[in-house]
Amino acid sequence: MAIKSNINVLGTSFGQLAWREDGPTGGLPLVLLQRFRGTMDDWDPSFIAAISRDRRVIRFDSAGIGRSDGNVPETISGLAAVVAEFIQRLGCSQIDLLGWSLGGVIGQQFALDFPTLVRRLIVAASSPGPVADGPQQHPRVPQIMTKPENDADDFLFLFYPGSESAVAAGRSSLARIDAVPDRGPRVSAVSFMGQVKAVSSWPGVLHRAKELRLPILVANGAHDMMLPAYRSYVLSQQAPDAKLVLYQDAGHAFLFQHIDDFAAEIDRFLEG
């Protein structure tokens, strides 16, 4: 399904931030936080259509990303502060939040730093920070994810398991994303390094996980080679009010592979 949301611009102390809005107007919005090196045009449009059918959904390019001005903050707390000011400038007193990958990292920090602004948190294919035990990232991941440009084969390796059905789903999703009209610029090398510095310096939330008292939906693909599903399990065990959902034959982009199932899970969770 084609998504035709207009591009809006909002002035903040971090610069002009570009954003899109889908779904019906009014109501508590669901704000989306994108992955490492992703822009607001890198969401699968079929996923956006599914989750915005009956809900206001907002996605934006953070400072220094895509169409937005400014510089990428070099700490996760700094990235969370961008989200907070963006939300407040929109006139929202509270939101629901979905963060994918790096966005899930930012979402966890945001919930700690700005607890009154978020009602419910969805952490998709992410991590609570360093986890010494359990499965670790595939050794080829750093080499591939830091290439100047990633092609379709790179994304398939990083985001999907190698089964025939998963690869087919991945190719379909990548085709839908590539077909998004009027795509903004890719993440620059400078902004990429800013994100790397932010992630590298983040201590994680496990030492403060008991403070995450809001309802949290933690979800991942069972075969995520970038951020292994074990890390999602660890977060779900430490946060007081967390639910864990894992998707079979799926990896880092499970949300674009199992769109209908995950959209229904989101609906149940947000409707509480």
Side-chain angles (χ1 to χ4, degrees), residues 221-254:
H223 304 285
D224 187 342
M225 68 174 60
M226 293 187 69
L227 294 173
Y230 178 71
R231 301 188 186 190
S232 297
Y233 168 77
V234 170
L235 174 60
S236 73
Q237 292 297 294
Q238 295 297 319
D241 190 7
K243 175 184 179 180
L244 174 66
V245 179
L246 297 179
Y247 289 85
Q248 63 183 9
D249 191 30
H252 200 63
F254 77 90

Side-chain angles (χ1 to χ4, degrees), residues 62-84:
S62 187
I65 298 296
R67 289 185 174 89
S68 292
D69 295 339
N71 300 308
V72 173
E74 295 183 357
T75 65
I76 297 299
S77 290
L79 290 165
V82 176
V83 180

Side-chain angles (χ1 to χ4, degrees), residues 5-47:
S5 50
N6 293 326
I7 300 169
N8 308 289
V9 177
L10 186 68
T12 73
S13 64
F14 296 95
Q16 298 278 99
L17 302 184
W19 60 286
R20 294 182 185 267
E21 182 173 356
D22 299 284
T25 58
L28 193 76
L30 174 63
V31 175
L32 308 184
L33 304 183
Q34 184 55 284
R35 62 170 171 83
F36 180 69
R37 296 180 79 178
T39 74
M40 65 178 175
D41 294 328
D42 287 315
W43 295 99
D44 187 320
S46 292
F47 176 70

